[in-house]
Amino acid sequence: MNVHEYRAKELLKSFHISVPFGVCIEENTPSAIAAVLKAFKDRPKVAVKAQIHAGGRGKGHFKENGTSGVRLVETEYAAEVVADMFGKTLVTNQTGSDGKVVHKVYVTETVAVAREFYLSLLIDRDRQCPVLMASDSGGCDVETVAKESPEKVLTFPVDPLSGLQPFQARRVAYLLQLSGEAFKECVDLVLNLYRAFVASDACLIEINPLVLTKEGHLSALDCKMQLDDNARFRHDNFASFDDPNEVDPTEAEAKSVGIHNYVALDGDIACLANGAGLGMATLDLLDALGGKAANFLDIGDTASAEQIEAGFRILLKHPKTRGVFVNIFGGTLPCDRVAQGLISAAETVVLRVPCVMRLMGNRKNEGFTLLQRSGLSVFATEDLTQAVETIVRETKAAL
Amino acid sequence: MSIWIEQTSRVIVQGITGHAGMMHSASCLAYGTKIVGGVTPGKGGEVVHGNVPVFNTVAEACAAVYPDVSFIAVPAPHATDAILEAIDAEIPLVVCLTEGIPVHDMLRIRRCLVGSKTRLIGPNGPGLIAPGKCKVGIIPNEICKEGSIGIVSRSGTLLFEAIYQLTSLGYGQSTCIGIGGDPVVGTSFTDVLRAFNDDPQTEVIVLIGEIGGNAEEVAADFIRQHVHKPVVGYIAGRRTPEGKRMGHAGAMIAGNTGTALSKINALQTAGVEIAQNVTDVGSIVAKVLG
């Protein structure tokens, strides 16, 4: 789960990592904006930063007027710039061409920058351990730096049992060629960052840039953070990081009924499967046989009748749905529960589009019987290839 | 011979008195698995399924019923503790089905496994079955048949799909294993390939991978260097857009790594026969067996 910059910085601050002073504005009214800007009245300039769950905001542009998602402005004009960002669509190299609408704007003090660095902690699944990355070329894309001049990037694994050690933090400080107070600050910062990483169940904390100010202190100018959704059960504060504006509305609806795996895609056949692997294989097969998935809902192996019914309702009323394809290989999950889910959903949402159900495994015959008795026009089979061919053909025919 | 479990395996179930624990242990018992005990803190002294004793701790269970496998069916908030308890008790094989264990916990567990007496299969997988002998997990009993194909898959349902296709075509299996869909798991493709390669019962290996990470590429390297048996492969997620998490936390393409194409290329270079669609797995195995 992604975290907004302003929340990520609050979290860093709570681990004694220095960040520029800033306030997030969540309401686009002159009074709300003025109230926040009052705190900056003694400063000649401020940074105004659009808050969306994507990087590259500084180099990105608003669809409406071409301006950047991060702007340094004179404080007297800040109110105008803030108000102007609200509701506009920011396109960056990470948002895709649709861009993302800005609902929050963060105002921070400006910092006199002497040098810029890169610092991150992430989980490297290939090495199966946390990895620290640091570079004295901050502010730019670290992957490019790593490719073009690998000697500029320091990367080392961290033992998850003993944790990040002071000698490792010193390696970072030496790489960044810091001395005196700044050296000590850097060692503390790296150790604190690792504490934040573990204590917050983060998958990624990236400070880019980390800057050395002209006054000789370190400050985290920008921060990208991803937290592990699986750790929600032990973090009461995770819910407060959720931003409903950043979630696809269908995905949010699926989550509200306890279905956590919904992926929006760009075709027209809505897909429901039990299991992520089976779902992906279904999308591949659809594609191979000439169809395109609108989305993919994974109900897992333990979904209740109510969850399945809600899942079908979500798919049936989705505006892009021109066909519904179901692929179930019941291990624990009984196929008749899935069939009943569709039948119940069709009582409240009319089944206007072609629907094909492939049922296999646990109680498949009971599932077929239920569908037959329902009188719904659903093609049901245990043959996966035949099922996919049918939904592709019928969806095309119905257009 | 099957790998890692056999007819004589003595299994305990951690979390046996819970809903999932009762349901799955009943299915394993029905298959003939020797479930010699269960563990649920606070329920020690109870008896379930007619004659299976419940213990408060894994250590007590070990002292009383000498298990060599622990099947963990506890919810995510308690699963890390359960796995560490089983490692501490030096149980040789631990099979964990639990979905949703935090990745930082799995990193610590991986380190605890190094130098321990335990192999962990999972989490977030269906477990394993040696058809006709023993089942630890949730693979449907009726789709399996004893034979000579070894199957390993990241995904549970795709494992079922492959087993079903092979059984329908008359090909039985030596052992079928789901290693789990999480980014950090206890047992890798390579671990399973090594075991199948050494297993006299296994004649053909089926490997079912998916996008994300580099486990399939590492497996391809191992196959090229060490595996002398034919391998058939399928990779799910060829049509998955970059950056989307496809349900399995592990299945995500980041940058240019972890794509289906890179995995398919690596496997083909290692001599693996690739099934283009999941529905072709059975027929490709048939082709390989001539």
Side-chain angles (χ1 to χ4, degrees):
Chain A
M1 119 191 167
N2 291 309
V3 177
H4 280 306
E5 176 199 356
Y6 77 99
R7 296 300 310 273
K9 284 186 176 169
E10 281 170 24
L11 207 140
L12 290 184
K13 211 175 150 194
S14 71
F15 282 88
H16 311 293
I17 293 171
S18 168
V19 300
F21 169 74
V23 185
C24 185
I25 306 172
E26 309 195 20
E27 193 188 337
N28 183 19
T29 61
S31 60
I33 295 170
V36 166
L37 289 177
K38 213 180 271 174
F40 296 88
K41 66 179 183 337
D42 296 333
R43 304 170 200 271
K45 278 192 163 185
V46 291
V48 179
K49 311 178 86 176
Q51 298 295 290
I52 57 168
H53 282 175
R57 292 166 300 158
K59 287 176 186 141
H61 65 276
F62 284 103
K63 265 188 175 172
E64 290 82 355
N65 56 16
T67 55
S68 158
V70 176
R71 293 175 65 185
L72 293 180
V73 295
E74 282 164 33
T75 310
E76 56 181 311
Y77 303 119
E80 223 173 289
V81 174
V82 170
D84 193 51
M85 279 191 187
F86 272 99
K88 290 215 164 60
T89 305
L90 185 59
V91 180
T92 81
N93 58 0
Q94 294 181 19
T95 60
S97 56
D98 285 351
K100 285 196 157 194
V101 177
V102 175
H103 298 275
K104 290 177 180 178
V105 179
Y106 189 40
V107 180
T108 74
E109 64 176 332
T110 56
V111 174
V113 176
R115 295 173 60 205
E116 294 194 343
F117 314 120
Y118 172 94
L119 178 64
S120 70
L121 277 166
L122 63 141
I123 287 170
D124 183 331
R125 63 179 289 175
D126 296 341
R127 298 197 219 189
Q128 308 256 289
C129 62
V131 161
L132 179 140
M133 285 178 81
S135 170
D136 60 358
S137 312
C140 49
D141 180 17
V142 72
E143 284 174 12
T144 315
V145 179
K147 214 177 283 170
E148 284 166 8
S149 22
E151 75 286 352
K152 286 190 171 169
V153 181
L154 172 70
T155 305
F156 57 76
V158 180
D159 183 325
L161 287 185
S162 49
L164 194 136
Q165 299 299 310
F167 78 87
Q168 294 175 307
R170 288 197 300 273
R171 282 183 70 188
V172 176
Y174 283 121
L175 171 88
L176 305 183
Q177 296 179 303
L178 297 169
S179 56
E181 269 311 303
F183 186 96
K184 277 190 217 156
E185 262 186 45
C186 179
V187 170
D188 287 344
L189 185 144
V190 171
L191 291 170
N192 284 332
L193 188 67
Y194 189 77
R195 283 202 303 128
F197 183 68
V198 174
S200 314
D201 272 298
C203 306
L204 167 74
I205 303 181
E206 181 180 69
I207 302 177
N208 189 21
L210 170 72
V211 301
L212 179 68
T213 65
K214 289 206 169 131
E215 295 79 28
H217 297 293
L218 290 172
S219 180
L221 224 55
D222 197 0
C223 180
K224 182 175 178 182
M225 190 180 288
Q226 285 167 359
L227 304 178
D228 181 2
D229 261 315
N230 283 350
R232 226 166 240 271
F233 67 82
R234 60 186 174 206
H235 295 279
D236 291 339
N237 64 338
F238 271 26
S240 78
F241 292 117
D242 291 334
D243 181 348
N245 289 316
E246 292 286 338
V247 185
D248 177 294
T250 310
E251 184 178 344
E253 199 180 343
K255 275 204 174 128
S256 73
V257 296
I259 300 175
H260 291 279
N261 299 331
Y262 172 88
V263 182
L265 300 162
D266 49 13
D268 55 8
I269 300 174
C271 293
L272 182 144
N274 68 321
L278 189 66
M280 282 187 272
T282 305
L283 302 187
D284 291 346
L285 197 56
L286 265 175
D287 190 90
L289 296 176
K292 263 201 143 193
N295 47 41
F296 156 49
L297 195 64
D298 168 16
I299 57 170
D301 214 32
T302 53
S304 69
E306 294 74 26
Q307 284 174 323
I308 296 170
E309 181 190 336
F312 275 116
R313 269 205 307 271
I314 289 167
L315 295 184
L316 287 175
K317 67 180 194 202
H318 195 280
K320 280 163 87 178
T321 300
R322 299 279 174 270
V324 174
F325 185 70
V326 181
N327 189 6
I328 301 296
F329 203 120
T332 312
L333 185 74
C335 288
D336 53 341
R337 190 187 291 169
V338 180
Q340 186 56 50
L342 178 68
I343 295 165
S344 305
E347 283 167 12
T348 50
V349 187
V350 183
L351 185 58
R352 293 173 210 280
V353 295
C355 179
V356 171
M357 216 181 241
R358 185 273 182 139
L359 299 179
M360 180 51 79
N362 192 9
R363 294 177 66 85
K364 66 170 194 249
N365 289 331
E366 288 83 347
F368 290 133
T369 310
L370 271 183
L371 287 173
Q372 215 163 25
R373 284 198 198 136
S374 73
L376 285 177
S377 140
V378 175
F379 179 77
T381 174
E382 56 173 67
D383 183 324
L384 180 53
T385 307
Q386 188 195 15
V388 173
E389 281 168 355
T390 308
I391 191 64
V392 171
R393 189 176 61 240
E394 290 194 3
T395 305
K396 279 186 181 151
L399 280 180
Chain B
M1 246 179 78
S2 44
I3 67 169
W4 298 330
I5 52 171
E6 51 205 314
Q7 215 135 25
T8 52
S9 293
R10 298 171 65 81
V11 181
I12 57 166
V13 179
Q14 289 177 254
I16 196 165
T17 56
H19 173 72
M22 283 300 281
M23 181 169 65
H24 301 324
S25 54
S27 162
C28 292
L29 279 168
Y31 200 72
T33 302
K34 284 201 178 75
I35 295 187
V36 295
V39 175
T40 302
K43 299 268 171 93
E46 290 184 14
V47 173
V48 294
H49 300 307
N51 62 354
V52 177
V54 181
F55 302 91
N56 282 321
T57 66
V58 174
E60 278 175 45
C62 287
V65 295
Y66 318 109
D68 40 39
V69 180
S70 179
F71 175 6
I72 296 183
V74 308
H78 309 293
T80 302
D81 188 41
I83 294 171
L84 292 174
E85 187 180 5
I87 296 173
D88 179 69
E90 304 191 336
I91 296 184
L93 184 70
V94 175
V95 180
C96 181
L97 265 50
T98 310
E99 181 176 2
I101 298 180
V103 67
H104 279 275
D105 288 9
M106 276 311 301
L107 293 177
R108 286 190 289 120
I109 288 169
R110 280 277 306 195
R111 272 291 275 115
C112 293
L113 286 168
V114 176
S116 78
K117 300 222 160 79
T118 299
R119 161 172 306 289
L120 169 68
I121 295 179
N124 194 12
L128 74 167
I129 188 167
K133 297 172 189 149
C134 179
K135 162 170 120 161
V136 182
I138 56 164
I139 297 168
N141 299 353
E142 63 282 1
I143 59 172
C144 303
K145 175 183 155 145
E146 192 169 354
S148 63
I149 318 282
I151 315 181
V152 57
S153 170
R154 269 211 249 176
S155 149
T157 34
L158 283 181
L159 178 68
F160 304 167
E161 190 73 51
I163 298 171
Y164 168 74
Q165 283 179 33
L166 292 171
T167 298
S168 302
L169 293 171
Y171 300 111
Q173 306 90 38
S174 54
T175 312
C176 312
I177 300 183
I179 58 172
D182 279 357
V184 180
V185 291
T187 291
S188 69
F189 277 130
T190 309
D191 298 330
V192 183
L193 287 168
R194 187 181 290 118
F196 277 146
N197 201 36
D198 296 340
D199 170 38
Q201 187 185 336
T202 304
E203 288 168 17
V204 176
I205 302 167
V206 175
L207 181 151
I208 298 177
E210 59 192 42
I211 53 166
N214 71 345
E216 290 80 0
E217 285 87 338
V218 173
D221 223 39
F222 182 81
I223 292 168
R224 195 168 44 75
Q225 293 183 39
H226 302 288
V227 176
H228 54 80
K229 298 177 182 180
V231 183
V232 171
Y234 168 73
I235 303 292
R238 269 184 303 158
R239 302 300 168 189
T240 302
E242 186 188 322
K244 295 236 182 198
R245 171 177 159 157
M246 299 301 286
H248 277 163
M252 190 166 117
I253 301 170
N256 287 323
T257 64
T259 65
L261 202 64
S262 115
K263 292 169 189 301
I264 290 170
N265 284 343
L267 289 168
Q268 273 176 332
T269 307
V272 175
E273 287 277 343
I274 295 290
Q276 293 301 322
N277 290 306
V278 66
T279 43
D280 302 333
V281 171
S283 54
I284 301 278
V285 170
K287 194 183 100 184
V288 166
L289 283 170

